[in-house]
Amino acid sequence: MTIRDTSEWMWAEACELLERADRLQRRFFQLGRGLAERPTWEPPVDIVEDGTLVTILVALPGVPSEAVQIMIDGPLLIVIGHRPLPTSSRRAVIHRLEIPYGRFERRIELAAGRLQLERQELRDGCLRLLLRKLP
């Protein structure tokens, strides 16, 4: 491989990384969708399957447990809620808001088969859902 080939490969790889970062950012934030009743952001999730258990971890920093609603609708697990602004004072000066706020909704397509929500807990900014596969 010549030096020129290496630089072209590195440039292509850098462009691909920037594209992936942009897609991830758009997927995570999805701000400004429109009407207030519609979700304004979509929290990221991790899904881990281990035998008969499926663990779903939803990142919800600063969201109180009473502001989260969980539903299973056929093959979809739906997590809906609201993250309040960090301050309610109109006189506060906000220097930076990188963590999204407002109404959120995350729809997660579940694997084929029946699942039962066995346990849920919101701790350390993460919602942990434990689902058991039913025979």
Side-chain angles (χ1 to χ4, degrees):
M1 177 182 284
T2 67
I3 293 174
R4 185 166 189 245
D5 292 336
T6 303
S7 65
E8 288 177 17
W9 173 80
M10 289 173 57
W11 178 251
E13 179 129 341
C15 288
E16 184 182 331
L17 285 171
L18 286 171
E19 251 181 68
R20 278 194 274 167
D22 186 50
R23 279 194 310 267
L24 181 62
Q25 183 179 8
R26 277 186 272 125
R27 183 175 152 216
F28 181 70
F29 288 103
Q30 293 189 3
L31 295 174
R33 278 192 173 175
L35 303 173
E37 67 273 0
R38 296 187 67 194
T40 57
W41 64 285
E42 187 175 77
V45 300
D46 290 340
I47 302 172
V48 178
E49 185 176 341
D50 183 17
T52 61
L53 297 176
V54 177
T55 302
I56 299 175
L57 194 63
V58 185
L60 297 174
V63 177
S65 59
E66 61 272 5
V68 178
Q69 184 179 12
I70 301 158
M71 298 176 285
I72 296 180
D73 183 17
L76 290 177
L77 172 76
I78 305 167
V79 179
I80 299 171
H82 184 269
R83 178 177 181 264
L85 275 171
T87 180
S88 59
S89 170
R90 290 182 177 240
R91 302 179 75 177
V93 177
I94 297 173
H95 293 278
R96 182 177 304 220
L97 283 177
E98 292 183 3
I99 302 171
Y101 64 90
R103 187 176 185 283
F104 63 85
E105 181 175 319
R106 182 65 193 251
R107 293 173 173 264
I108 303 162
E109 191 165 339
L110 301 171
R114 295 180 2 162
L115 295 169
Q116 176 183 344
L117 181 61
E118 193 165 285
R119 189 173 55 208
Q120 69 185 54
E121 68 176 333
L122 182 61
R123 195 170 96 204
D124 300 329
C126 288
L127 174 64
R128 183 184 182 98
L129 303 170
L130 187 64
L131 298 115
R132 182 168 300 282
K133 291 181 184 179
L134 300 175

